[in-house]
Every structure is written in structure tokens, then in C-alpha cells.
Amino acid sequence: MKIAIGLGENKNVLEAVKQFPYDIKIARTNEELLNYLNNPEIDGVIRGSLESNIIMDLKKKYPHIFRASILEKDGYKFMLTPVGIDECDTIKAKKTIIRECSRIIKQTGHTPKIALISGGRKQDKGRSPKIDHSIDECEQIVQDLKDECNIKHYYILIEEAIKDHANVIIAPDGISGNIIFRSLVLVAGIKSYGALTLKQEKLFIDTSRSQTTEGYVNAITLLTNIIKTKNK
């Protein structure tokens, strides 16, 4: 198994790498990490603490990719998506995200339980066009996919989705998802395994450049476990 990780200003990456008994390649620039991503001998790549514009470079080749963060609270793991600020702008994109996340959940031997989050409670319709659009969009998605998967619209009540142990939580949009991620992980300290980049060939895990050593260890562990599952 061969993997690579990016090293920017946050040196916690180096501390994380020391905790693994096998060789992990270090990329010090975006170009170097992308070269590892295109190297057939490398099984997977982690952004590490490189600048976020590497995702823009990645999207030039894979314009339809999106990211799903893998989070854990008290032993309960779930995917939070979208977490890229420019991702998931349409109903079609959300349906793709739901199907791709469901595929990953099924690969782990679990049944997908999808939670849609919108911009208000049901009774908040009429307060603003933006809120109405967010709620209407989620209601349409539930109607379209209710026979395909276990899906529920939780409106703005993300805390209820977490209490119900939904294993895929769909944020209203990428900006909201990114803020939710930062609130849960960087403020509240919920365990993060990084964000799995989907809809591309090579395994790539996106991580915050502000992550702790433990966060980078979690991302390396997630990637190695996925590689082992694929190679069985």
C-alpha cells in the first residue's frame, strides 16, 4: 500500500505520519501532490495541510466531484455533505450526492439513512423566498427518492437528524455544509476523518489545513481502511 499526503504550513502532518509503520510520501506543493494522484503506483492521496486551491486544480480534471466529510460523535459515524463552498447548487446535484453517499454506506455493510436539512422549520414557509426555496427543494427530493432510499426531511433541525443516527446528512448547500463542519469539528471537537472526494477514479481525502495531529491520523487511517477494503 502506497499513499501520499500534502505538507503546508501546518506541521501536524509530520507528527501524524510518524505514527504509521509504513512509508508515506510527502508532497510539499500542489503540483507534487497532483502528480502522486496521477501516479498508478499510489493507491490514494490526502490533501494534508496544503492550500485549498488544490481542489480547484482537481476540479479542472474532474468537474463533477464533491466532498463528503466523515465525522464521528460518541461512536456514531456519519457523512456530512456537501462541504465544498461551491458544491451542490441544484436538485440534480443533491440527488447525485445522495446516491453516491448511499453507495459508500452500503459498501461498509450498513443501510443508508438519509437526512435532508433545509433553511427553516415547516411553519417558516413564507418568511422569505430563500427559506421557501430551501424547504421546497428538500420536499421535492424526498418525493422523488422516497421509493429509492430511506430519506427524511428534517428541515433546519440537524440536531434531530444526529439524534436519529442518520448516516448521511445533506446540508442545504456547500456554504452551510462548510460552516456546519467547522462548527462541529474545529469548534466543538467532534472527531473528523477528513472529506472523501467522490465521483473520481483515485481515492482522495480532503482535510482542513487547520487540522490537529489526531485529525490527520484519522484521515490516514480512513484512507488505508478503504484501500484494504477495495483490495480484498
CSV table of all heavy atoms in Angstrom, one decimal, residues 102-148:
chain,number,residue,atom,x,y,z
A,102,SER,N,-24.9,6.9,-0.6
A,102,SER,CA,-25.6,5.7,-0.3
A,102,SER,C,-24.7,4.5,-0.7
A,102,SER,O,-24.6,3.5,0.0
A,102,SER,CB,-26.9,5.6,-1.0
A,102,SER,OG,-27.8,6.6,-0.4
A,103,ARG,N,-24.1,4.6,-1.9
A,103,ARG,CA,-23.2,3.5,-2.4
A,103,ARG,C,-22.1,3.3,-1.4
A,103,ARG,O,-21.8,2.1,-1.1
A,103,ARG,CB,-22.7,3.9,-3.8
A,103,ARG,CG,-21.8,2.9,-4.4
A,103,ARG,CD,-21.3,3.4,-5.8
A,103,ARG,NE,-20.6,4.6,-5.7
A,103,ARG,CZ,-19.3,4.6,-5.4
A,103,ARG,NH1,-18.6,3.5,-5.1
A,103,ARG,NH2,-18.6,5.8,-5.4
A,104,ILE,N,-21.5,4.3,-0.9
A,104,ILE,CA,-20.3,4.2,0.0
A,104,ILE,C,-20.8,3.5,1.3
A,104,ILE,O,-20.2,2.6,1.9
A,104,ILE,CB,-19.7,5.5,0.3
A,104,ILE,CG1,-19.1,6.1,-0.9
A,104,ILE,CG2,-18.6,5.4,1.5
A,104,ILE,CD1,-17.9,5.3,-1.5
A,105,ILE,N,-22.0,4.0,1.9
A,105,ILE,CA,-22.5,3.4,3.1
A,105,ILE,C,-22.8,1.9,2.9
A,105,ILE,O,-22.5,1.1,3.8
A,105,ILE,CB,-23.8,4.2,3.5
A,105,ILE,CG1,-23.5,5.6,3.9
A,105,ILE,CG2,-24.5,3.4,4.7
A,105,ILE,CD1,-22.7,5.8,5.1
A,106,LYS,N,-23.3,1.5,1.8
A,106,LYS,CA,-23.6,0.1,1.5
A,106,LYS,C,-22.4,-0.7,1.5
A,106,LYS,O,-22.3,-1.8,1.9
A,106,LYS,CB,-24.4,0.0,0.2
A,106,LYS,CG,-25.9,0.5,0.3
A,106,LYS,CD,-26.6,0.4,-1.0
A,106,LYS,CE,-28.0,0.9,-0.9
A,106,LYS,NZ,-28.7,0.9,-2.3
A,107,GLN,N,-21.3,-0.1,0.9
A,107,GLN,CA,-20.0,-0.8,0.8
A,107,GLN,C,-19.5,-1.1,2.2
A,107,GLN,O,-18.7,-2.1,2.4
A,107,GLN,CB,-19.0,0.0,0.1
A,107,GLN,CG,-19.2,0.0,-1.4
A,107,GLN,CD,-18.2,0.8,-2.2
A,107,GLN,OE1,-17.3,1.5,-1.6
A,107,GLN,NE2,-18.2,0.7,-3.5
A,108,THR,N,-19.8,-0.3,3.2
A,108,THR,CA,-19.4,-0.6,4.6
A,108,THR,C,-20.2,-1.6,5.3
A,108,THR,O,-20.0,-1.9,6.5
A,108,THR,CB,-19.3,0.7,5.4
A,108,THR,OG1,-20.6,1.2,5.6
A,108,THR,CG2,-18.5,1.8,4.7
A,109,GLY,N,-21.3,-2.1,4.6
A,109,GLY,CA,-22.2,-3.1,5.2
A,109,GLY,C,-23.3,-2.5,6.0
A,109,GLY,O,-24.0,-3.2,6.7
A,110,HIS,N,-23.6,-1.2,5.9
A,110,HIS,CA,-24.7,-0.5,6.6
A,110,HIS,C,-25.8,-0.1,5.6
A,110,HIS,O,-25.6,0.0,4.4
A,110,HIS,CB,-24.2,0.7,7.3
A,110,HIS,CG,-23.2,0.3,8.4
A,110,HIS,ND1,-21.9,0.2,8.2
A,110,HIS,CD2,-23.4,0.1,9.8
A,110,HIS,CE1,-21.3,-0.1,9.3
A,110,HIS,NE2,-22.2,-0.2,10.3
A,111,THR,N,-27.0,0.2,6.1
A,111,THR,CA,-28.1,0.7,5.3
A,111,THR,C,-28.1,2.2,5.4
A,111,THR,O,-28.1,2.8,6.5
A,111,THR,CB,-29.4,0.1,5.9
A,111,THR,OG1,-29.4,-1.3,5.9
A,111,THR,CG2,-30.6,0.6,5.1
A,112,PRO,N,-28.1,2.8,4.2
A,112,PRO,CA,-28.1,4.3,4.2
A,112,PRO,C,-29.4,4.9,4.9
A,112,PRO,O,-30.5,4.4,4.7
A,112,PRO,CB,-28.1,4.6,2.7
A,112,PRO,CG,-27.6,3.4,2.1
A,112,PRO,CD,-28.0,2.3,2.9
A,113,LYS,N,-29.2,5.9,5.7
A,113,LYS,CA,-30.3,6.6,6.3
A,113,LYS,C,-30.1,8.1,6.1
A,113,LYS,O,-29.2,8.7,6.7
A,113,LYS,CB,-30.3,6.3,7.8
A,113,LYS,CG,-31.6,6.9,8.6
A,113,LYS,CD,-31.6,6.5,10.0
A,113,LYS,CE,-32.8,7.0,10.7
A,113,LYS,NZ,-32.8,6.6,12.2
A,114,ILE,N,-30.8,8.7,5.1
A,114,ILE,CA,-30.5,10.0,4.6
A,114,ILE,C,-31.3,11.1,5.3
A,114,ILE,O,-32.5,10.9,5.5
A,114,ILE,CB,-30.8,10.1,3.1
A,114,ILE,CG1,-30.3,8.8,2.3
A,114,ILE,CG2,-30.3,11.4,2.5
A,114,ILE,CD1,-28.8,8.7,2.4
A,115,ALA,N,-30.6,12.1,5.7
A,115,ALA,CA,-31.3,13.3,6.4
A,115,ALA,C,-31.1,14.5,5.5
A,115,ALA,O,-29.9,14.9,5.3
A,115,ALA,CB,-30.8,13.5,7.8
A,116,LEU,N,-32.2,15.1,5.1
A,116,LEU,CA,-32.1,16.4,4.3
A,116,LEU,C,-32.3,17.6,5.3
A,116,LEU,O,-33.2,17.6,6.1
A,116,LEU,CB,-33.1,16.5,3.2
A,116,LEU,CG,-33.0,15.5,2.1
A,116,LEU,CD1,-34.2,15.7,1.1
A,116,LEU,CD2,-31.7,15.8,1.3
A,117,ILE,N,-31.4,18.6,5.2
A,117,ILE,CA,-31.5,19.7,6.1
A,117,ILE,C,-31.8,20.9,5.2
A,117,ILE,O,-31.2,21.2,4.2
A,117,ILE,CB,-30.2,20.0,6.8
A,117,ILE,CG1,-29.8,18.7,7.6
A,117,ILE,CG2,-30.4,21.2,7.8
A,117,ILE,CD1,-30.8,18.3,8.7
A,118,SER,N,-32.8,21.7,5.6
A,118,SER,CA,-33.2,22.9,4.8
A,118,SER,C,-33.1,24.2,5.7
A,118,SER,O,-32.6,24.1,6.9
A,118,SER,CB,-34.6,22.8,4.3
A,118,SER,OG,-35.6,22.7,5.3
A,119,GLY,N,-33.5,25.3,5.2
A,119,GLY,CA,-33.3,26.6,5.9
A,119,GLY,C,-34.3,27.0,6.9
A,119,GLY,O,-34.2,28.2,7.4
A,120,GLY,N,-35.2,26.2,7.3
A,120,GLY,CA,-36.2,26.6,8.3
A,120,GLY,C,-37.1,25.4,8.7
A,120,GLY,O,-37.0,24.3,8.2
A,121,ARG,N,-37.9,25.7,9.7
A,121,ARG,CA,-38.9,24.7,10.1
A,121,ARG,C,-40.1,24.7,9.1
A,121,ARG,O,-40.2,25.7,8.3
A,121,ARG,CB,-39.5,25.0,11.5
A,121,ARG,CG,-38.5,24.9,12.6
A,121,ARG,CD,-39.2,25.4,13.9
A,121,ARG,NE,-38.2,25.3,15.1
A,121,ARG,CZ,-38.2,24.2,15.9
A,121,ARG,NH1,-39.1,23.2,15.8
A,121,ARG,NH2,-37.4,24.2,16.9
A,122,LYS,N,-40.9,23.7,9.1
A,122,LYS,CA,-42.0,23.6,8.2
A,122,LYS,C,-42.9,24.9,8.2
A,122,LYS,O,-43.3,25.4,7.2
A,122,LYS,CB,-42.9,22.4,8.4
A,122,LYS,CG,-43.9,22.1,7.4
A,122,LYS,CD,-44.6,20.8,7.6
A,122,LYS,CE,-45.6,20.4,6.5
A,122,LYS,NZ,-46.2,19.1,6.7
A,123,GLN,N,-43.2,25.4,9.4
A,123,GLN,CA,-44.0,26.6,9.6
A,123,GLN,C,-43.3,27.9,9.2
A,123,GLN,O,-44.0,28.9,9.3
A,123,GLN,CB,-44.6,26.6,11.0
A,123,GLN,CG,-43.5,26.7,12.1
A,123,GLN,CD,-43.1,25.3,12.7
A,123,GLN,OE1,-43.1,24.3,11.9
A,123,GLN,NE2,-42.9,25.2,14.0
A,124,ASP,N,-42.1,27.8,8.9
A,124,ASP,CA,-41.3,29.0,8.5
A,124,ASP,C,-41.6,29.4,7.0
A,124,ASP,O,-41.1,30.5,6.6
A,124,ASP,CB,-39.8,28.8,8.7
A,124,ASP,CG,-39.5,28.9,10.2
A,124,ASP,OD1,-40.2,29.5,11.0
A,124,ASP,OD2,-38.5,28.2,10.6
A,125,LYS,N,-42.2,28.5,6.2
A,125,LYS,CA,-42.5,28.9,4.9
A,125,LYS,C,-43.3,30.2,4.8
A,125,LYS,O,-44.2,30.4,5.6
A,125,LYS,CB,-43.3,27.8,4.2
A,125,LYS,CG,-42.5,26.5,3.9
A,125,LYS,CD,-43.2,25.6,3.0
A,125,LYS,CE,-43.3,26.1,1.5
A,125,LYS,NZ,-43.8,25.1,0.6
A,126,GLY,N,-42.9,31.1,3.9
A,126,GLY,CA,-43.5,32.4,3.7
A,126,GLY,C,-42.7,33.5,4.4
A,126,GLY,O,-42.9,34.7,4.1
A,127,ARG,N,-41.6,33.1,5.1
A,127,ARG,CA,-40.8,34.2,5.8
A,127,ARG,C,-39.9,34.9,4.8
A,127,ARG,O,-39.5,36.0,5.0
A,127,ARG,CB,-40.1,33.6,7.0
A,127,ARG,CG,-41.0,33.2,8.1
A,127,ARG,CD,-40.3,32.6,9.3
A,127,ARG,NE,-39.4,33.6,10.0
A,127,ARG,CZ,-38.7,33.3,11.1
A,127,ARG,NH1,-38.9,32.2,11.7
A,127,ARG,NH2,-37.9,34.3,11.6
A,128,SER,N,-39.4,34.1,3.8
A,128,SER,CA,-38.6,34.7,2.8
A,128,SER,C,-38.5,33.7,1.6
A,128,SER,O,-38.6,32.5,1.8
A,128,SER,CB,-37.1,35.0,3.3
A,128,SER,OG,-36.3,33.8,3.3
A,129,PRO,N,-38.3,34.3,0.4
A,129,PRO,CA,-38.1,33.4,-0.8
A,129,PRO,C,-37.0,32.4,-0.6
A,129,PRO,O,-37.1,31.3,-1.1
A,129,PRO,CB,-37.9,34.4,-1.9
A,129,PRO,CG,-38.5,35.7,-1.4
A,129,PRO,CD,-38.2,35.7,0.1
A,130,LYS,N,-35.9,32.8,0.0
A,130,LYS,CA,-34.8,31.9,0.2
A,130,LYS,C,-35.1,30.7,1.1
A,130,LYS,O,-34.8,29.5,0.7
A,130,LYS,CB,-33.6,32.6,0.8
A,130,LYS,CG,-32.3,31.8,0.9
A,130,LYS,CD,-31.1,32.7,1.4
A,130,LYS,CE,-29.8,31.9,1.4
A,130,LYS,NZ,-28.7,32.8,1.8
A,131,ILE,N,-35.8,30.9,2.2
A,131,ILE,CA,-36.3,29.8,3.0
A,131,ILE,C,-37.3,28.9,2.3
A,131,ILE,O,-37.1,27.7,2.3
A,131,ILE,CB,-36.9,30.4,4.3
A,131,ILE,CG1,-35.8,31.1,5.2
A,131,ILE,CG2,-37.6,29.3,5.1
A,131,ILE,CD1,-36.4,31.9,6.3
A,132,ASP,N,-38.2,29.6,1.6
A,132,ASP,CA,-39.2,28.8,0.8
A,132,ASP,C,-38.5,27.9,-0.2
A,132,ASP,O,-38.9,26.7,-0.3
A,132,ASP,CB,-40.2,29.7,0.1
A,132,ASP,CG,-41.1,30.4,1.1
A,132,ASP,OD1,-41.0,30.2,2.3
A,132,ASP,OD2,-41.9,31.3,0.6
A,133,HIS,N,-37.5,28.4,-0.9
A,133,HIS,CA,-36.8,27.6,-1.9
A,133,HIS,C,-36.1,26.4,-1.3
A,133,HIS,O,-36.2,25.3,-1.8
A,133,HIS,CB,-35.9,28.5,-2.7
A,133,HIS,CG,-35.0,27.8,-3.6
A,133,HIS,ND1,-35.5,27.3,-4.9
A,133,HIS,CD2,-33.7,27.3,-3.6
A,133,HIS,CE1,-34.5,26.7,-5.5
A,133,HIS,NE2,-33.4,26.7,-4.7
A,134,SER,N,-35.5,26.7,-0.2
A,134,SER,CA,-34.7,25.6,0.5
A,134,SER,C,-35.7,24.5,1.0
A,134,SER,O,-35.4,23.3,0.7
A,134,SER,CB,-34.0,26.2,1.7
A,134,SER,OG,-33.3,25.2,2.4
A,135,ILE,N,-36.8,24.8,1.5
A,135,ILE,CA,-37.7,23.8,2.0
A,135,ILE,C,-38.4,23.1,0.8
A,135,ILE,O,-38.5,21.9,0.8
A,135,ILE,CB,-38.8,24.5,2.9
A,135,ILE,CG1,-38.2,25.0,4.2
A,135,ILE,CG2,-40.0,23.5,3.2
A,135,ILE,CD1,-39.1,25.8,5.1
A,136,ASP,N,-38.8,23.8,-0.2
A,136,ASP,CA,-39.4,23.2,-1.4
A,136,ASP,C,-38.5,22.3,-2.1
A,136,ASP,O,-38.9,21.2,-2.5
A,136,ASP,CB,-39.9,24.3,-2.3
A,136,ASP,CG,-41.1,25.1,-1.8
A,136,ASP,OD1,-41.7,24.7,-0.9
A,136,ASP,OD2,-41.3,26.2,-2.4
A,137,GLU,N,-37.2,22.6,-2.1
A,137,GLU,CA,-36.2,21.8,-2.8
A,137,GLU,C,-36.1,20.4,-2.1
A,137,GLU,O,-36.1,19.4,-2.7
A,137,GLU,CB,-34.9,22.5,-2.8
A,137,GLU,CG,-33.8,21.7,-3.5
A,137,GLU,CD,-32.5,22.5,-3.5
A,137,GLU,OE1,-31.8,22.5,-2.5
A,137,GLU,OE2,-32.1,23.0,-4.6
A,138,CYS,N,-36.0,20.5,-0.7
A,138,CYS,CA,-35.9,19.2,0.0
A,138,CYS,C,-37.2,18.4,-0.1
A,138,CYS,O,-37.1,17.1,-0.2
A,138,CYS,CB,-35.6,19.5,1.5
A,138,CYS,SG,-33.9,20.1,1.8
A,139,GLU,N,-38.3,19.0,-0.1
A,139,GLU,CA,-39.6,18.3,-0.2
A,139,GLU,C,-39.7,17.6,-1.6
A,139,GLU,O,-40.2,16.5,-1.7
A,139,GLU,CB,-40.8,19.2,0.0
A,139,GLU,CG,-40.9,19.7,1.5
A,139,GLU,CD,-42.1,20.6,1.7
A,139,GLU,OE1,-42.6,21.1,0.7
A,139,GLU,OE2,-42.4,20.9,2.9
A,140,GLN,N,-39.2,18.3,-2.6
A,140,GLN,CA,-39.2,17.7,-3.9
A,140,GLN,C,-38.3,16.5,-4.0
A,140,GLN,O,-38.6,15.4,-4.6
A,140,GLN,CB,-38.7,18.7,-5.0
A,140,GLN,CG,-38.8,18.2,-6.4
A,140,GLN,CD,-40.1,17.8,-6.9
A,140,GLN,OE1,-41.1,18.7,-6.8
A,140,GLN,NE2,-40.3,16.6,-7.3
A,141,ILE,N,-37.1,16.6,-3.4
A,141,ILE,CA,-36.1,15.5,-3.4
A,141,ILE,C,-36.7,14.3,-2.6
A,141,ILE,O,-36.6,13.1,-3.1
A,141,ILE,CB,-34.8,15.9,-2.8
A,141,ILE,CG1,-34.1,16.9,-3.7
A,141,ILE,CG2,-33.9,14.7,-2.5
A,141,ILE,CD1,-32.9,17.6,-3.0
A,142,VAL,N,-37.3,14.5,-1.5
A,142,VAL,CA,-38.0,13.4,-0.8
A,142,VAL,C,-39.0,12.7,-1.6
A,142,VAL,O,-39.1,11.5,-1.7
A,142,VAL,CB,-38.6,13.9,0.6
A,142,VAL,CG1,-39.4,12.8,1.2
A,142,VAL,CG2,-37.5,14.3,1.5
A,143,GLN,N,-39.8,13.5,-2.3
A,143,GLN,CA,-40.9,12.9,-3.2
A,143,GLN,C,-40.3,12.1,-4.3
A,143,GLN,O,-40.8,11.0,-4.6
A,143,GLN,CB,-41.7,14.1,-3.7
A,143,GLN,CG,-42.9,13.6,-4.6
A,143,GLN,CD,-43.9,12.9,-3.8
A,143,GLN,OE1,-44.1,13.1,-2.6
A,143,GLN,NE2,-44.6,11.9,-4.5
A,144,ASP,N,-39.2,12.6,-4.8
A,144,ASP,CA,-38.6,11.9,-6.0
A,144,ASP,C,-37.8,10.6,-5.6
A,144,ASP,O,-37.8,9.6,-6.4
A,144,ASP,CB,-37.6,12.8,-6.7
A,144,ASP,CG,-38.3,14.0,-7.4
A,144,ASP,OD1,-39.5,13.9,-7.6
A,144,ASP,OD2,-37.6,14.9,-7.8
A,145,LEU,N,-37.3,10.6,-4.3
A,145,LEU,CA,-36.4,9.4,-3.9
A,145,LEU,C,-37.0,8.5,-2.9
A,145,LEU,O,-36.3,7.6,-2.4
A,145,LEU,CB,-35.1,10.0,-3.5
A,145,LEU,CG,-34.2,10.8,-4.5
A,145,LEU,CD1,-32.9,11.2,-3.8
A,145,LEU,CD2,-34.0,10.0,-5.8
A,146,LYS,N,-38.2,8.8,-2.4
A,146,LYS,CA,-38.8,8.1,-1.3
A,146,LYS,C,-38.9,6.6,-1.5
A,146,LYS,O,-38.9,5.8,-0.6
A,146,LYS,CB,-40.1,8.6,-0.9
A,146,LYS,CG,-41.2,8.5,-2.0
A,146,LYS,CD,-42.5,9.1,-1.5
A,146,LYS,CE,-43.6,9.0,-2.6
A,146,LYS,NZ,-44.9,9.6,-2.2
A,147,ASP,N,-39.0,6.2,-2.8
A,147,ASP,CA,-39.1,4.7,-3.1
A,147,ASP,C,-37.8,4.1,-3.4
A,147,ASP,O,-37.7,2.9,-3.6
A,147,ASP,CB,-40.0,4.5,-4.4
A,147,ASP,CG,-41.5,4.9,-4.1
A,147,ASP,OD1,-41.9,4.8,-3.0
A,147,ASP,OD2,-42.1,5.4,-5.1
A,148,GLU,N,-36.7,5.0,-3.4
A,148,GLU,CA,-35.4,4.5,-3.8
A,148,GLU,C,-34.5,4.3,-2.5
A,148,GLU,O,-33.6,3.5,-2.5
A,148,GLU,CB,-34.7,5.5,-4.7
A,148,GLU,CG,-33.4,5.1,-5.2
A,148,GLU,CD,-32.8,6.2,-6.2
A,148,GLU,OE1,-33.6,6.8,-6.9
A,148,GLU,OE2,-31.6,6.4,-6.2
